[in-house]
Amino acid sequence: MIKRKEIIGDCTLYLGDCLRVMPTLDKVDAVVTDPPYRLESGGMTGKDMGGKFNLKKSNYLNNGEIVKCDIDWHDFMPVISSLVDRGHIYVMCNNRHVQNMLNSATKSKMKFHNLLVWDKVSPTPNRWYMKNCEFIGFFYKGKAFHINDCGSKQLIKMPLPMDNAHPTVKPVALMEHYVKNSTTRGQVTLDPFMGSGTTGVACAKLGRKFIGIELDEDYFNIACERIRKAYDQPDLFIEPPKNLLQIDLLLDKK
């Protein structure tokens, strides 16, 4: 079930399958996650279009998987929902999965607040409008409460990170924005699809507790290293956690 567990400051990281790890967890205050999903075929079966946007067939293929994906929305959304009694849930997706996300959230008893938009600035080539946005379903459980900065806008514009630690890596500042708006210091944020640990880095910088789960060991190791560095270089306005600990346990060799 859990192949490895690391505790770094106020962050607890699990190497394992989130569908098996999440049922063992206590309730959390918020969820901020970018789940894996299969890309849809773009249908670029004709000739290269070329032109100033270089819509070549080789540059346009978008079928298959970016990361390992053998679960669907109806598998993980109910489990995520069960871990939040009262709190905010942010779930990211591309334009083709908005409907799946919203339907799964409703069936999982999440209540819809808003559909947020991240403008990545750099567009992906496409014959039906260049894709420069990703979408974030903003849901809540329990009694509704306002975000901490009510001046925040639905759309946030922020360029992609320069590093390539993960094929779908998000800016730390983006995750900080959502974590900071929906939690207070000491509250717990969960990311069941941790990837390279961007949400965990945001929590470490903000003085929030974090639980992250990742299936891929290589990305898990990257996440551990990034979160350690976040504590080594804390935000000047955030008090670092007391008794910084690191625990590395091999719980399951399977």
Side-chain angles (χ1 to χ4, degrees), residues 43-67:
M44 190 70 166
T45 56
K47 63 181 181 180
D48 291 344
M49 293 185 67
K52 76 175 191 176
F53 293 114
N54 196 28
L55 292 181
K56 292 183 178 181
K57 191 172 181 179
S58 60
N59 293 334
Y60 188 79
L61 290 178
N62 67 338
N63 50 357
E65 299 175 350
I66 296 180
V67 294

Side-chain angles (χ1 to χ4, degrees), residues 164-216:
N164 58 354
H166 191 275
T168 62
V169 69
K170 301 296 186 291
V172 172
L174 180 69
M175 299 313 205
E176 284 186 5
H177 180 65
Y178 297 134
V179 170
K180 189 174 184 179
N181 257 343
S182 291
T183 62
T184 57
R185 183 172 173 80
Q187 288 190 315
V188 182
T189 297
L190 167 70
D191 186 349
F193 303 100
M194 178 174 63
S196 60
T198 302
T199 307
V201 171
C203 289
K205 290 169 68 67
L206 292 170
R208 271 61 165 175
K209 296 179 181 179
F210 173 71
I211 298 174
I213 308 169
E214 175 53 40
L215 184 63
D216 186 288

Side-chain angles (χ1 to χ4, degrees), residues 1 22 99 113 165 193 228 232:
M1 181 186 297
M22 282 194 288
Q99 185 173 358
H113 259 324
F193 303 100
R228 288 191 195 102
D232 289 340

Side-chain angles (χ1 to χ4, degrees):
M1 181 186 297
I2 300 172
K3 297 181 179 179
R4 195 166 128 213
K5 176 181 177 181
E6 294 242 9
I7 300 177
I8 307 171
D10 286 329
C11 298
T12 303
L13 315 181
Y14 295 94
L15 174 63
D17 184 340
C18 70
L19 295 183
R20 301 182 69 183
V21 177
M22 282 194 288
T24 70
L25 302 177
D26 294 330
K27 301 289 185 177
V28 299
D29 300 295
V31 177
V32 179
T33 192
D34 180 21
Y37 46 80
R38 289 188 61 84
L39 292 173
E40 304 291 339
S41 174
M44 190 70 166
T45 56
K47 63 181 181 180
D48 291 344
M49 293 185 67
K52 76 175 191 176
F53 293 114
N54 196 28
L55 292 181
K56 292 183 178 181
K57 191 172 181 179
S58 60
N59 293 334
Y60 188 79
L61 290 178
N62 67 338
N63 50 357
E65 299 175 350
I66 296 180
V67 294
K68 184 177 181 180
C69 180
D70 55 6
I71 58 176
D72 207 341
W73 293 90
H74 64 263
D75 295 321
F76 59 81
M77 290 290 272
V79 190
I80 288 175
S81 180
S82 70
L83 287 173
V84 182
D85 282 340
R86 186 184 183 211
H88 291 160
I89 301 169
Y90 295 83
V91 183
M92 300 182 177
C93 69
N94 67 5
N95 63 312
R96 289 182 177 268
H97 287 271
V98 170
Q99 185 173 358
N100 291 335
M101 175 186 66
L102 294 175
N103 290 343
S104 297
T106 299
K107 291 179 181 178
S108 302
K109 300 182 179 179
M110 299 181 191
K111 300 173 186 176
F112 179 72
H113 259 324
N114 206 337
L115 185 64
L116 308 178
V117 182
W118 168 38
D119 181 350
K120 302 182 291 185
V121 183
S122 300
T124 302
N126 195 289
R127 291 178 294 167
W128 301 287
Y129 297 97
M130 305 277 275
K131 296 183 178 181
N132 64 306
C133 294
E134 288 194 21
F135 301 88
I136 303 96
F138 177 35
F139 309 99
Y140 70 101
K141 292 286 299 293
K143 185 178 180 181
F145 60 94
H146 60 76
I147 59 175
N148 292 324
D149 180 6
C150 294
S152 299
K153 297 180 180 179
Q154 184 180 26
L155 182 146
I156 185 169
K157 188 172 184 178
M158 195 174 296
L160 284 162
M162 296 301 293
D163 65 82
N164 58 354
H166 191 275
T168 62
V169 69
K170 301 296 186 291
V172 172
L174 180 69
M175 299 313 205
E176 284 186 5
H177 180 65
Y178 297 134
V179 170
K180 189 174 184 179
N181 257 343
S182 291
T183 62
T184 57
R185 183 172 173 80
Q187 288 190 315
V188 182
T189 297
L190 167 70
D191 186 349
F193 303 100
M194 178 174 63
S196 60
T198 302
T199 307
V201 171
C203 289
K205 290 169 68 67
L206 292 170
R208 271 61 165 175
K209 296 179 181 179
F210 173 71
I211 298 174
I213 308 169
E214 175 53 40
L215 184 63
D216 186 288
E217 187 169 11
D218 289 336
Y219 293 137
F220 180 85
N221 290 333
I222 292 172
C224 292
E225 184 61 23
R226 292 183 71 202
I227 291 170
R228 288 191 195 102
K229 288 182 179 178
Y231 279 123
D232 289 340
Q233 299 174 335
D235 190 304
L236 293 176
F237 301 100
I238 299 295
E239 181 184 353
K242 298 177 181 179
N243 301 323
L244 185 63
L245 298 176
Q246 176 183 332
I247 299 176
D248 188 347
L249 299 174
L250 184 62
L251 302 179
D252 186 353
K253 295 183 179 180
K254 294 181 179 181

